[in-house]
Amino acid sequence: MLIPILLASLVLSINAASIVSRSQSYPLSQPAVLGPKTRITIGNKVIAPDGFERSATVVNGIFPGPLITAQKGDDFAIEVVNELKDESMFKSTSVHWHGIYQNGTNYADGTSFAPTGIIVIIPSNMKCDGLRGPLVIYDPHDPLAHMYDVDDASTVITLSDWYHIVAPVLRHIIGTTATSSLINGHGRYAGGPMSDLAVISVEPGKRYRMRLVAMSCDPSFHFSIDDHNLTVIEADGQLTKPLVVDGLRIFAGQRYSVVLVADKPVDNYWIRSLPDLANATYDGGMNSAILRYKGAPNADPTTVYTAPKNPLKETNLHALINPGAPGIPGYGNADINLNLQVSNNGGTFYVNGTPFKPPTVPVLLQILSGAQEPSQLLPNGNVIVLEANKVVELTLSTSGLGGPHPIHLHGHTFDVVQSAGNRTFNYVNPVRRDVVSAGSDSGQQMVIRWTTDNSGPWFLHCHIDWHLDAGFAVVMAESPSDTRAHLNPVPHEWDQLCPIFGSLSPSQLGGGGRKSWEEAANISKALFPQSPLP
């Protein structure tokens, strides 16, 4: 999951990718899969994933970034090389390994401008310019392995949005929306050319574990495959009791594993991933890819869309392993009960009345320097201190525009004891995951539980990058007095990152400076106030 997305799941065999494209302007297949000890280079390249050429931020020269894989229990040692040169986009960056909980290695969480703080002010929306890709951890002892025959690079399906304007310009615009959506890095946009679409190849009679990775900056996707059911067996890296559906909604940052049985007549079938955007359609092959049975002609499908009759409901998902939320059942019975209310005013998000502001000193560095109490930790109102080894129950509700908001907690999975839009609570066997929708209607709330067993500062934020950039975040500082002892220890090189970053010139930082705001003003009048930029 390079989220910059490098997203994580669980299971068995690793092969080279076999995702097929007929495009002449884009790689015909994915490059070799990378292992847990590897080197990736972040740079700029002109690409045209939906037929429109633009400079983008890419990993190893491709979008999405190359699949990184490991076996459960492996150690990662990934060297990240920065060769960014395009000054219209940000040139200083960090990488967050989404879905990796960094227990004992909080300093390596990689969140830009915030708690662990490799980089203190670069916005998260570099992902919107292309810095994202999948990461899969395979479990050789997966208890659900009997349900599928194929689980390799060819069955990893990435869902993303795409923009024709660089993120440093779009971040100034209130309510910016994507130009198109992509499946495995291919798509089409309204009024654009008939670009070639991604093709997923299957053989009749085989069962495929499809790993869906929603690495969008903004929209959720309504995913389905014509004439096929999907059996959900995993959510955000956590195995679930198998659940048959014929469609699902997947929010930014979420992941699902679904088993598809190739038991239909040999043919081509539309894979559909409709983004939650105004006027989104499947016309002309937009928001689509192709499921191609071996022996089917090299042609677009003719299958007709039918609205799902058995769509996924989050409340029907149940954890397979050690089910049950921690603590005493019942709303408000946790050791620590938090209530966060999120509002929006003029495009800026306020969590309990305070928008998140990037700290000038990373929260982890503040803690390692001796800060322990909420009054000592900056930014004021943005840091919540939690005691060690306590059960936390968090209720979060939102009001205003921009929902539904996918809420992500770093450093933990959590049990969803109440899903947004549902009146009932489930403490017995709720789904366990790390990204959950907070709903979109006033009066809705989501309630989650976790245990504070991973000392350090952890980000809780909306996974819509534009909303995070606009203040939708807080830091959970988990048992600050234990943090130094919990780390492994902090490498000397980490201490040097902020001084190095602080010495960079505006040109070295990139992002367009004031020019980006001026370009945004030529596009829209709904702008955030000008703020200092690198």
Side-chain angles (χ1 to χ4, degrees), residues 20 83 115 300 302 516:
V20 181
E83 293 186 356
D300 282 356
T302 58
S516 67

Side-chain angles (χ1 to χ4, degrees), residues 484-508:
R484 181 177 291 279
H486 188 63
L487 300 181
N488 278 338
V490 177
H492 171 73
E493 290 78 7
W494 184 84
D495 289 330
Q496 305 306 308
L497 289 172
C498 281
I500 292 171
F501 177 81
S503 68
L504 298 178
S505 67
S507 176
Q508 289 173 313

